[in-house]
Amino acid sequence: MSRLERRITAAAEAALAQRRFVTAIDVLTGLGWLHARHVDVWRQGRATTLEELAAVDGARMTDAVAVLRRWALSRGLVPGETAYLSGGRDRRELRFVADGDDGAFRVHWVSPEMGEAGRRRLAERQSKAPDLVVVEPEKAWTCAGCGDTGPYLIMEDAGPHCLTCADMDHLVFLPAGDAALSRRAKKESGLAAVVVRYNARRRRYERRGILVEEAALQLAEERCLADEEVRLRRRERDRERRAGEDVVFQARMAEAILRIFPGCPPERARDIALHAGLRGSGRVGRTAAAKVLDEKAITLAVVASVRHLDTDYDRLLMSGVPRAEARDRIRPDIDRVLGGWRGTVGGPGHDDRHG
């Protein structure tokens, strides 16, 4: 196997591993004979053949495709033909090389592991006519039709034409950024085109937006606004429902606190329930046990409140006392407050391991 054959095989293997199919373009770009920007220019219809953009002549390209075919057959890949059409208004069939039959370039080779349905979808996708492509030029240019210029050009008869000459100057520009709006506007528009601009730093064409009919854009905007209103109403209903659920839950939690600690001031019980049961807080009142009003979980929420509001715990922590030691120091104070609220001052202590 020659060095070139090894390079072709490596490029084909890489494409096959990534997508489960391989094309002549994958090999030509993998060899470095073409760059992605060259393929973009060719697909836009701005070159008569792919050969004129390649680093090698058509004969070398044909030889590489022949090697690809032999490799694909040895691997048991399944052939399928792809229609390569121009992104210009003429939708002409694109040529790979200037001389001879270029049918071999149009074959894509599919892994046998891809099922029949997958191969059918691939064939449909590969054969689908590309979007019309309008270029936002980076340099000064002249229309091949009228000799004037403009902010956009589209290729027709392998020459750049302004939108007026291409009968597309009635379209309006919709910048990229809102995928839903762009999708709807394009769907509603009888004529639409993708606007691209070459990024010299990244060496590729990048999408800038689309050109669509004004009526289609207005209709798409109305539908998107309606959808947004629906989403806003749904979010508001959900917010109100969740807020209502919190109010009910916090009220039930306050009642549970007063049942366990009948001497606790009602206002204090409401404050504890509001604080501990705050949605999204991660506090003890939001635990699964607290939600079913488990007595231990409710007690832990009360202990946490007493610890911070009725003892010197926070001051001890700020003065550098270790947390465990600080808890030991304030334990009698907590027991006194809880005993008073229970009506059992001097009764058994509390368990605040998780408070």
Side-chain angles (χ1 to χ4, degrees), residues 35 139 143 155 162 165 174 179 210 214 225 251 253 266 311 322 338:
H35 294 290
K139 299 178 181 178
C143 174
M155 298 302 295
C162 66
C165 290
L174 172 60
I210 57 175
E214 188 168 7
L225 285 173
M253 187 176 182
T311 75
L338 295 187

Side-chain angles (χ1 to χ4, degrees), residues 27-43:
V27 168
L28 297 175
T29 54
L31 291 171
W33 293 353
L34 286 167
H35 294 290
R37 65 180 182 276
H38 297 142
V39 178
D40 288 338
V41 168
W42 175 67
R43 286 189 177 277

Side-chain angles (χ1 to χ4, degrees), residues 237-310:
R237 287 197 304 271
D238 290 342
R239 186 190 66 78
E240 291 175 354
R241 175 179 56 78
R242 289 194 298 270
E245 288 175 349
D246 283 347
V247 168
V248 172
F249 167 65
Q250 289 164 350
R252 292 174 57 225
M253 187 176 182
E255 291 173 359
I257 291 171
L258 291 175
R259 252 192 334 268
I260 300 169
F261 301 97
C264 176
E267 185 64 31
R268 181 66 179 276
R270 286 194 294 271
D271 289 345
I272 293 172
L274 179 64
H275 178 79
L278 182 65
R279 179 178 296 277
S281 65
R283 296 170 185 146
V284 66
R286 299 304 303 182
T287 63
K291 289 179 181 179
V292 295
L293 304 179
D294 175 79
E295 181 172 342
K296 182 176 180 180
I298 297 298
T299 299
L300 289 173
V302 174
V303 167
S305 175
V306 172
R307 179 184 299 121
H308 293 290
L309 299 182
D310 299 283

Side-chain angles (χ1 to χ4, degrees), residues 50-77:
L50 192 58
E51 177 185 353
E52 67 187 63
L53 302 172
V56 298
D57 59 22
R60 289 269 283 171
M61 292 168 62
T62 301
D63 289 343
V65 172
V67 174
L68 168 63
R69 181 177 184 278
R70 291 195 297 272
W71 169 85
L73 291 174
S74 71
R75 288 286 305 270
L77 303 188

Side-chain angles (χ1 to χ4, degrees), residues 309-343:
L309 299 182
D310 299 283
T311 75
D312 289 334
Y313 181 68
D314 291 348
R315 184 184 61 78
L316 291 173
L317 292 183
M318 288 297 293
S319 65
V321 176
R323 187 166 63 92
E325 181 182 341
R327 288 198 174 197
D328 286 339
R329 289 191 192 181
I330 55 108
R331 186 180 299 273
D333 295 330
I334 292 180
D335 288 342
R336 185 177 61 257
V337 173
L338 295 187
W341 287 355
R342 283 195 178 103

